[in-house]
Amino acid sequence: MTSYQPYQYVTLRCVPRVEREEFVNVGVVVHCPDADFLGVRSSVDADRIRALDAEVDIASIEAALAAIERVCSGEAHTGFGVGVRATAYGSREARDDASTRFGFLKAPRSTVLQPGPVHGGVTADPARTLEHLLEMLVL
């Protein structure tokens, strides 16, 4: 019998010109506490993002996404990328539990890389759900 567990997720949005509130989805973070799972998958479509702002620094966005991957894996880090306009993510300690790290990642902010609203569901396989959400919402 398959065991289903509750999960929450946020879509990560690149908002190159915050004042315009236009965005491109670039990633998904899934948290399933019962499975002790916190994961992120991302994909940056530079052409789509540059359609919103031709001068956006794609390398900084990718660096910020890499920092989010480090947060999900519990690694210590110093921030989410130098050069991303108005980045205010700060730093976290590697000793934070997955729920605390997810809370940090889902917190609203007015920066170039923003989490969308929190959504939830149930899953038998959080990793597969993460891949499905990436395909459905980002790719």
Side-chain angles (χ1 to χ4, degrees):
M1 184 170 158
T2 303
S3 171
Y4 287 94
Q5 303 155 333
Y7 72 92
Q8 293 183 317
Y9 75 92
V10 293
T11 303
L12 300 174
R13 300 169 170 179
C14 177
V15 187
R17 294 182 58 197
V18 176
E19 69 278 8
R20 292 184 56 117
E21 299 183 8
E22 299 170 326
F23 63 87
V24 173
N25 290 340
V26 294
V28 179
V29 178
V30 170
H31 177 50
C32 184
D34 293 348
D36 194 29
F37 181 87
L38 178 62
V40 62
R41 292 277 285 129
S42 63
S43 177
V44 175
D45 185 333
D47 292 335
R48 288 182 67 202
I49 295 169
R50 285 193 179 108
L52 300 179
D53 182 355
E55 297 179 18
V56 68
D57 184 352
I58 299 295
S60 291
I61 293 164
E62 291 170 338
L65 289 166
I68 290 172
E69 289 179 19
R70 290 190 298 277
V71 170
C72 285
S73 68
E75 297 176 36
H77 66 91
T78 57
F80 284 9
V82 176
V84 175
R85 284 183 288 179
T87 298
Y89 284 90
S91 63
R92 302 298 301 182
E93 295 295 328
R95 66 181 177 268
D96 287 343
D97 65 20
S99 292
T100 301
R101 294 192 317 268
F102 182 66
F104 170 68
L105 293 171
K106 72 179 182 179
R109 52 188 50 90
S110 295
T111 63
V112 173
L113 194 57
Q114 300 178 8
V118 177
H119 300 283
V122 293
T123 182
D125 185 343
R128 187 178 321 179
T129 297
L130 176 58
E131 292 299 324
H132 172 73
L133 289 170
L134 178 75
E135 291 174 16
M136 186 173 65
L137 302 172
V138 177
L139 299 178

